[in-house]
Amino acid sequence: MKRIFSHIYPLGIRWQLMLWYSIIFALLMVFSGLLFYTRLQTTLAGSLDTELQLQAQQIAGDITYDEDGDITAHDATADLPGFDPSGKVQHVPPPADVNLDILVRVLDKRGLPLRTTPAFYALNVPPESVTQPLHGLPWQGTISTADGQAVRLYSRALVDDNGIFGVVQVGTTLTQVDTTLQDVSVELLLLAPFMLALGGLISYWLTARAFMPIERLIKTARKIKAGDLRQRVPVPRPHDEVRDLALTLNEMIERLEQAFARQQRFVADASHELRTPVAVIRNKADMALMQIFTPDEHLTVFRSIYNESERLSHLIGDLLALAHLDEGHVRQKKEVVKLDHLVQVVAEMTEPLATEHQVSMQVAANNQVRICGDEARLLEVVMNLTENAILYNNSGGTVSLSVKSEDTQALLIVQDTGIGIAPEHLPHLVERFYRVDSARTYTAGGNSGLGLAIADSIVRAHGGSLTVESRLGQGSTFTVALPLSQ
Ligand code: ADP
C-alpha cells in the first residue's frame, strides 16, 4: 500500500482523488455486476423449476392406474410428440435433440420405464431420481446428456387412492438459460470500459469543481506581489470549508500589509531623523571652512559638530539595537539578574543627571528579586525609564525606583512627579520615533523617540510587559512586569 502511495504521490491531490474515485467506482461496478448476474441466474433457474413442476403435475393428472396394473396416459400427454398413449413402446427409437424435443418419462412402481419420449434416451439419469420419488420425495437436479449438455430434471411420484403407482420425470434443457446468462455477461463486460471511462470523467469533473475555490485562491494569491498587499483573496459563501482558509489567508495578508507599512514608515522616519543631525554638521562644517570665525567661535562650531555627531552615533546605536531585537537577537544570554541590585546601580549612575535637573531620587529595593534574562539589556531598560523620569520632570521633583515581587512576577516601577503624558499619547508611546513634543525632546536631551520602543521590545523578549499610567501635570508611572526566575 505504501508503495502505491509513493507511486501516486507525485500526481497531485486532484489526480490522486480521481484515481481513488475510479478504483472505488470500478470495485462497486464489479460487485454490483456479480450480484446482478447471480440474482439473474437464481431467478431463471427458479422459474425453470416451477415450470417443470407444473408440467410434471399436469402430466401426472392425466395418468391413471387400473386394477390390471395398466397405466394409461390421457389426452394431455397424448399430445406429446413421440409419446405413445395407447401402449408400451416396443422398440427404442434413436435419441432426438434434447433442445428441440420434449423430455418426459413415465415409470411404474418398480421403476421400469413405461412411456419415454425419444429425446429422453439421450439423458444420463441417476437412479436416485427414480428411487427417491418412489419413496414419496420429489427429486430435482441438473444432469447431463451423453454429449455434455446440461439438463434440469424433475421427478415426482404418481399417486392415487391406493398410494404410489409410478414416477413421472420431466426435463428441460439449460442451454437457453446458459445462453441468456452468457449474453448478459458479455454485455456487462462490453459496458464496463465505457462505464469506467464515464466514472473517471465524472470524478475528474467533480474534483475539478471541488478544487475551483482553491484555484481561485491560488490565482489571487499569485497576483499579490510584494508591496501590493491591498488585495484580498475571495471569501467563499458560509459553510464552505475553503472559507476558513480564505479568511486565514486574508488575515495573514492584512498582518503582512500592516508590517510592511510599519517597516516603510520606520525607514522614512529613520532617514528623516538621520538627515537632521547630518544637515546640522554639514552646515557648521561649511561655516568653519569659510575661515571667517575667531578661534573662540571655531571652538563653538566644533563643539556643536561634536554634539551632533554624538547624537547621530546615539541614533545609529538605537537603530542597530532595534534591528537586532527585530531579528530576535536578544535573550541570547540567560543569566540570573538581581533586579534590586540593578535598580541601585541605575540610581547611582543617574544621580549626576538628577542633580543637574534638581530632581531627587528615591530607591525602594530592599528585598531580593531575581529574574532570568540578559542583564545588560535590562539595565538599558531601567536606565532609559529613569532618564526619561528625570528629563521629563520639574525641578524640585522626585523620581522613585522600586522593585518587588508579586505572585510569579517581578515588578519594577519607575515613578516621577513630572510633566505627565496626555491620555491620547499613551497608546503610542512605545511606537518607534514617537515623541509627545518633538521640539522639546530634541533640545532637552537630544533623544530620538526610540528609547521606549527599545525598552518595550526588550521586555517583551523577556516574556514581560511594559505599562504606563500618567496624569498630565502630575507625573507618570512606568511598570515593568517580568516573570520571576524559578
Ligand atoms: P525619547 O528618546 O524621546 O525620550 P522615548 O521613547 O524614551 O523617547 O519616549 C517617547 C516620548 O514619551 C518622549 O518623547 C516623551 O514625550 C514621552 N515620555 C517618556 N517618558 C516620559 C515621562 N516619564 N514623563 C513624560 N513623558 C515621557
Side-chain angles (χ1 to χ4, degrees):
M1 205 62 175
K2 222 174 166 184
R3 272 178 74 90
I4 300 177
F5 270 120
S6 65
H7 278 303
I8 62 177
Y9 181 68
L11 279 181
I13 298 177
R14 197 187 312 180
W15 284 97
Q16 282 185 49
L17 270 180
M18 198 194 110
L19 205 71
W20 281 116
Y21 280 154
S22 303
I23 290 172
I24 292 167
F25 187 63
L27 286 176
L28 279 176
M29 246 174 58
V30 169
F31 178 72
S32 49
L34 282 175
L35 196 75
F36 173 72
Y37 185 85
T38 41
R39 287 286 300 157
L40 185 71
Q41 203 173 26
T42 12
T43 312
L44 286 178
S47 65
L48 207 70
D49 283 348
T50 319
E51 211 176 294
L52 280 178
Q53 283 164 19
L54 281 173
Q55 208 180 344
Q57 196 179 353
Q58 195 180 5
I59 293 169
D62 288 336
I63 293 173
T64 51
Y65 178 69
D66 60 29
E67 279 148 20
D68 306 332
D70 281 338
I71 288 173
T72 319
H74 295 283
D75 283 340
T77 40
D79 292 336
L80 298 171
F83 201 87
D84 180 9
S86 56
K88 295 168 181 129
V89 176
Q90 300 298 322
H91 62 278
V92 177
D97 187 351
V98 288
N99 290 316
L100 301 174
D101 275 328
I102 283 162
L103 302 164
V104 179
R105 181 162 81 159
V106 180
L107 304 105
D108 64 14
K109 61 179 169 194
R110 285 164 302 164
L112 294 172
L114 293 173
R115 311 275 189 275
T116 311
T117 58
F120 203 93
Y121 289 108
L123 306 182
N124 297 321
V125 187
E128 61 270 20
S129 69
V130 177
T131 51
Q132 193 173 302
L134 282 175
H135 286 96
L137 275 177
W139 184 91
Q140 201 159 332
T142 304
I143 59 168
S144 65
T145 61
D147 57 0
Q149 293 186 66
V151 168
R152 193 81 182 148
L153 188 72
Y154 177 74
S155 298
R156 54 159 286 179
L158 292 167
V159 188
D160 69 359
D161 297 342
N162 301 318
I164 294 170
F165 64 86
V167 173
V168 61
Q169 296 187 306
V170 188
T172 187
T173 171
L174 284 174
T175 315
Q176 192 112 36
V177 173
D178 286 347
T179 320
T180 311
L181 286 173
Q182 220 169 22
D183 287 353
V184 167
S185 44
V186 168
E187 274 162 24
L188 282 178
L189 284 176
L190 282 178
L191 211 65
F194 291 105
M195 295 290 282
L196 256 182
L198 193 71
L201 279 176
I202 291 175
S203 58
Y204 182 79
W205 180 73
L206 280 176
T207 36
R209 249 184 85 88
F211 272 78
M212 238 144 67
I214 296 182
E215 286 288 339
R216 276 202 296 272
L217 283 191
I218 294 171
K219 258 191 205 150
T220 325
R222 272 206 192 112
K223 271 196 229 154
I224 302 174
K225 299 197 182 74
D228 181 21
L229 292 166
R230 279 161 307 162
Q231 299 228 35
R232 295 287 179 274
V233 295
V235 178
R237 63 189 185 282
H239 310 303
D240 192 320
E241 283 81 353
V242 185
R243 189 181 157 84
D244 281 348
L245 179 66
L247 287 174
T248 316
L249 267 178
N250 280 345
E251 269 170 35
M252 195 188 80
I253 298 168
E254 197 174 320
R255 279 200 301 274
L256 276 177
E257 189 186 16
Q258 284 167 2
F260 206 71
R262 257 200 317 272
Q263 201 65 26
Q264 276 178 332
R265 213 168 44 234
F266 178 65
V267 172
D269 287 349
S271 332
H272 181 77
E273 292 292 330
L274 288 168
R275 213 163 51 185
T276 317
V278 170
V280 174
I281 291 171
R282 219 180 126 180
N283 202 1
K284 303 273 171 171
D286 274 349
M287 283 159 71
L289 282 172
M290 282 181 201
Q291 297 184 328
I292 49 164
F293 294 125
T294 61
D296 272 358
E297 283 171 333
H298 266 296
L299 204 64
T300 319
V301 169
F302 283 127
R303 197 166 286 138
S304 145
I305 289 179
Y306 176 82
N307 283 343
E308 285 307 321
S309 324
E310 270 284 283
R311 186 182 154 70
L312 204 56
S313 103
H314 193 78
L315 181 62
I316 291 168
D318 281 355
L319 286 175
L320 266 174
L322 269 177
H324 283 309
L325 282 164
D326 284 350
E327 280 174 35
H329 281 189
V330 79
R331 292 211 77 181
Q332 281 164 347
K333 278 196 202 157
K334 265 198 159 187
E335 53 204 345
V336 174
V337 182
K338 299 171 184 169
L339 270 192
D340 45 308
H341 180 70
L342 195 89
V343 164
Q344 308 272 12
V345 172
V346 172
E348 276 168 33
M349 285 168 75
T350 49
E351 191 60 55
L353 187 71
T355 315
E356 190 188 323
H357 286 81
Q358 291 163 5
V359 170
S360 63
M361 300 281 293
Q362 289 173 1
V363 180
N366 305 319
N367 298 327
Q368 283 194 346
V369 179
R370 306 268 183 278
I371 64 141
C372 187
D374 189 323
E375 186 159 22
R377 294 284 190 190
L378 290 168
L379 183 86
E380 216 176 307
V381 173
V382 188
M383 204 54 194
N384 184 277
L385 295 179
T386 315
E387 277 179 2
N388 277 351
I390 297 169
L391 287 174
Y392 303 110
N393 217 318
N394 303 309
S395 88
T398 315
V399 171
S400 44
L401 306 177
S402 62
V403 173
K404 58 181 177 181
S405 50
E406 223 175 67
D407 299 331
T408 55
Q409 281 191 321
L411 297 180
L412 190 153
I413 301 157
V414 182
Q415 198 170 17
D416 65 66
T417 54
I419 58 171
I421 305 157
E424 66 268 25
H425 295 296
L426 289 177
H428 306 287
L429 277 191
V430 295
E431 282 175 18
R432 293 166 186 197
F433 297 111
Y434 191 83
R435 283 173 296 207
V436 174
D437 179 355
S438 44
R440 183 192 152 102
T441 314
Y442 191 87
T443 45
N447 287 343
S448 56
L450 287 175
L452 286 179
I454 294 175
D456 183 61
S457 289
I458 295 173
V459 171
R460 274 192 291 116
H462 279 79
S465 63
L466 171 66
T467 47
V468 54
E469 281 169 45
S470 187
R471 295 187 89 173
L472 205 56
Q474 291 187 19
S476 317
T477 307
F478 285 80
T479 308
V480 176
L482 290 163
L484 277 171
S485 89
Q486 299 296 318

